[in-house]
Amino acid sequence: MSSQDTSVPVEIALVETAENDPSVEPVDQLCNSASKVSSECKQTFVKKAVSPKSGKLKEDPGQIATDQVEHTFVNGTGCTESSNAAKNTDKEVGLPVSISNRFQTQLRDHVYCKSRTSIAGDLTDESDGSESITKVQLLTSMTGDEEITELIHDYLEEFYGKYGSFIPLSENDVLENLQQVLNQDVSERKLFIFMEIMKYQAALASAPMFNFKVSYNKHTLTLEDLSTLDGQNWLNDQVINMYGELVMDAVPHKVHFFNSFFHKQLVTRGYEGVKRWTKKVDLFSKSLLLIPIHLEIHWSLITVDMPNQHIQFYDSQGIHFRYPVENILRYLLTEAKEKGKPIFQKGWKMIVSKCIPQQNNDSDCGVFVLQYCKCLALGKPFQFSQEDMPKVRKRIYKELCECRLLE
């Protein structure tokens, strides 16, 4: 913006971007998740699974469930795939199900093989409270595979109905639910749990919920819209706009989020084409304006700090588009004049932000924009990076389905 266009002073502040290298979790104890069985069974497993010459795990799918497996949850499927974005996924090797269940048939009629519900009453009648608690904890620690499988299926069925897919499902969701229900640590049985999860996902692969929809105010998201949050997909306008609505409602009367089509309409039709968009909104009573900018295949964000009269540009690739900022400034000057607002007296400062989290791929710009919006609206620092994007995508999916922002 030159001095010939307007008398408003312009100040651009540039700060170098700091980038964090992803850390890789070492994999040095592949057999920690093996079930605690007799020494004879364990020796048999190790003998079959480990090569005596190299000391490495044999690649025998009949004996070992997986070698350096990385578990990912895919919509409607239960597949396993390698991904550079998931290097910190736990690698585990466990006993085959047939070995882990080897002794359960002989113990069917033992008192410890009864369900916790049926035996709780007997323990309460025969002993005092403290002794009862001790015995119940002992029984809880011996939960069988069948009961865990049933709990997993119940949780996944409820999850699938709530979110319409397994896109937002993470490993910790299932583990935390099991630990809460069973009141015990299930980390040693991760491999068995993950295999059951993938089996359940595969069974539902042929029955996706195509009619699944989420509605909030005037916004409606289909499963196709929500699926843009999966993997490396590009976010579409429907997801951007509904999430902006959630951000506004989280801090009512302080923040206004402009529709993602606003800037395009402003450029093509000028002020007259968008002046009705804020007919019922007093922009000058807000503290912060959030304006998503979609330039062909890239998302950026413009923010307006109304009290301090700062216009700031946020871009996760460090690209600087000056003309969208100038367009917004001209719009605000015209809006103030049309509504008789004596607010433009000190002059405005235009700032391009570079000291912000940056993406290192070509697909997460929209996710970064939504994360910028959430942090700025709630007054929280930018404590996220490219490594957090898979987790952020899942969280945004859940927030959209639950129609509220989550921590």
Side-chain angles (χ1 to χ4, degrees):
M1 177 171 54
S2 65
S3 57
Q4 297 178 354
D5 297 330
T6 176
S7 60
V8 178
V10 176
E11 175 184 317
I12 300 180
L14 303 177
V15 184
E16 293 298 327
T17 303
E19 297 183 351
N20 297 324
D21 294 329
S23 59
V24 181
E25 180 181 347
V27 181
D28 54 1
Q29 294 181 351
L30 296 179
C31 292
N32 285 343
S33 65
S35 302
K36 293 182 179 179
V37 297
S38 68
S39 59
E40 178 184 355
C41 182
K42 186 179 296 184
Q43 290 172 1
T44 301
F45 166 72
V46 174
K47 181 177 180 180
K48 292 182 179 181
V50 180
S51 172
K53 294 182 179 180
S54 63
K56 298 182 179 180
L57 294 173
K58 295 181 179 179
E59 296 183 358
D60 184 359
Q63 299 297 326
I64 304 176
T66 178
D67 181 15
Q68 296 184 345
V69 62
E70 295 187 4
H71 300 281
T72 57
F73 299 100
V74 182
N75 180 24
T77 64
C79 66
T80 303
E81 63 181 15
S82 298
S83 171
N84 292 332
K87 290 183 178 179
N88 61 344
T89 307
D90 295 337
K91 278 84 173 173
E92 303 176 13
V93 173
L95 293 174
V97 176
S98 59
I99 295 179
S100 63
N101 290 336
R102 180 175 178 179
F103 303 103
Q104 289 186 10
T105 303
Q106 301 174 14
L107 299 177
R108 278 297 174 198
D109 298 329
H110 194 280
V111 62
Y112 287 164
C113 290
K114 293 183 180 181
S115 66
R116 297 193 312 277
T117 304
S118 63
I119 201 170
D122 298 337
L123 291 174
T124 304
D125 294 337
E126 296 175 359
S127 60
D128 59 14
S130 60
E131 184 180 357
S132 174
I133 292 176
T134 302
K135 290 184 177 180
V136 169
Q137 290 175 343
L138 176 61
L139 296 180
T140 300
S141 66
M142 301 180 67
T143 306
D145 290 348
E146 292 183 2
E147 183 174 359
I148 289 181
T149 299
E150 184 177 354
L151 291 173
I152 292 172
H153 289 182
D154 288 344
Y155 177 77
L156 293 179
E157 181 180 0
E158 180 181 357
F159 190 98
Y160 195 70
K162 183 176 183 180
Y163 298 114
S165 74
F166 290 122
I167 292 174
L169 182 67
S170 67
E171 299 171 354
N172 288 335
D173 289 333
V174 181
L175 292 177
E176 290 174 2
N177 177 263
L178 288 175
Q179 290 179 172
Q180 182 180 6
V181 174
L182 298 174
N183 192 27
Q184 70 179 85
D185 184 10
V186 295
S187 58
E188 292 186 355
R189 309 179 78 173
K190 278 184 179 180
L191 182 59
F192 170 76
I193 293 171
F194 295 155
M195 294 301 291
E196 287 300 320
I197 293 172
M198 288 188 288
K199 290 178 184 177
Y200 191 90
Q201 289 177 309
L204 288 179
S206 59
M209 298 179 64
F210 292 116
N211 295 327
F212 183 84
K213 292 183 180 180
V214 177
S215 297
Y216 184 75
N217 292 346
K218 296 180 180 180
H219 303 278
T220 298
L221 299 180
T222 64
L223 188 57
E224 182 179 1
D225 297 323
L226 291 166
S227 295
T228 63
L229 286 160
D230 187 25
Q232 300 295 312
N233 292 330
W234 293 347
L235 271 59
N236 66 10
D237 292 272
Q238 286 70 29
V239 168
I240 295 288
N241 291 329
M242 181 167 164
Y243 195 82
E245 195 84 14
L246 298 181
V247 170
M248 277 197 300
D249 289 349
V251 281
H253 312 302
K254 294 183 179 180
V255 175
H256 182 74
F257 183 92
F258 282 80
N259 188 283
S260 63
F261 299 104
F262 172 81
H263 180 259
K264 184 181 294 185
Q265 187 80 347
L266 176 64
V267 172
T268 57
R269 300 188 59 184
Y271 177 77
E272 292 297 321
V274 297
K275 69 177 183 179
R276 294 178 59 86
W277 289 38
T278 56
K279 183 178 180 180
K280 298 180 180 180
V281 179
D282 183 6
L283 296 179
F284 306 100
S285 66
K286 306 293 183 180
S287 300
L288 178 67
L289 306 183
L290 300 172
I291 309 166
I293 305 295
H294 191 221
L295 301 174
E296 297 192 10
I297 60 172
H298 184 64
W299 288 101
S300 299
L301 177 68
I302 293 177
T303 68
V304 181
D305 181 346
M306 297 298 287
N308 297 313
Q309 294 186 212
H310 290 168
I311 298 182
Q312 199 151 345
F313 191 84
Y314 293 86
D315 187 272
S316 56
Q317 289 186 332
I319 304 172
H320 308 145
F321 298 105
R322 186 182 179 109
Y323 78 89
V325 180
E326 295 176 346
N327 292 335
I328 297 302
L329 178 56
R330 294 192 187 97
Y331 165 79
L332 291 173
L333 290 169
T334 307
E335 181 80 354
K337 182 178 179 181
E338 288 285 327
K339 295 186 177 180
K341 299 289 183 179
I343 190 173
F344 296 91
Q345 297 177 357
K346 298 183 299 181
W348 283 77
K349 293 182 179 180
M350 296 168 57
I351 304 173
V352 177
S353 297
K354 288 190 65 179
C355 188
I356 58 176
Q358 300 279 282
Q359 67 183 107
N360 57 23
N361 61 21
D362 295 324
S363 57
D364 285 329
C365 54
V367 186
F368 272 85
V369 164
L370 294 186
Q371 190 69 359
Y372 294 153
C373 289
K374 181 178 181 178
C375 291
L376 291 169
L378 300 181
K380 294 185 177 181
F382 290 165
Q383 295 180 338
F384 60 92
S385 66
Q386 177 66 62
E387 294 179 356
D388 299 312
M389 288 302 103
K391 179 176 61 178
V392 172
R393 282 176 175 266
K394 293 179 183 295
R395 194 207 68 226
I396 290 176
Y397 190 114
K398 292 179 180 179
E399 289 175 322
L400 291 170
C401 289
E402 297 184 26
C403 299
R404 63 187 180 92
L405 299 184
L406 303 174
E407 293 296 330

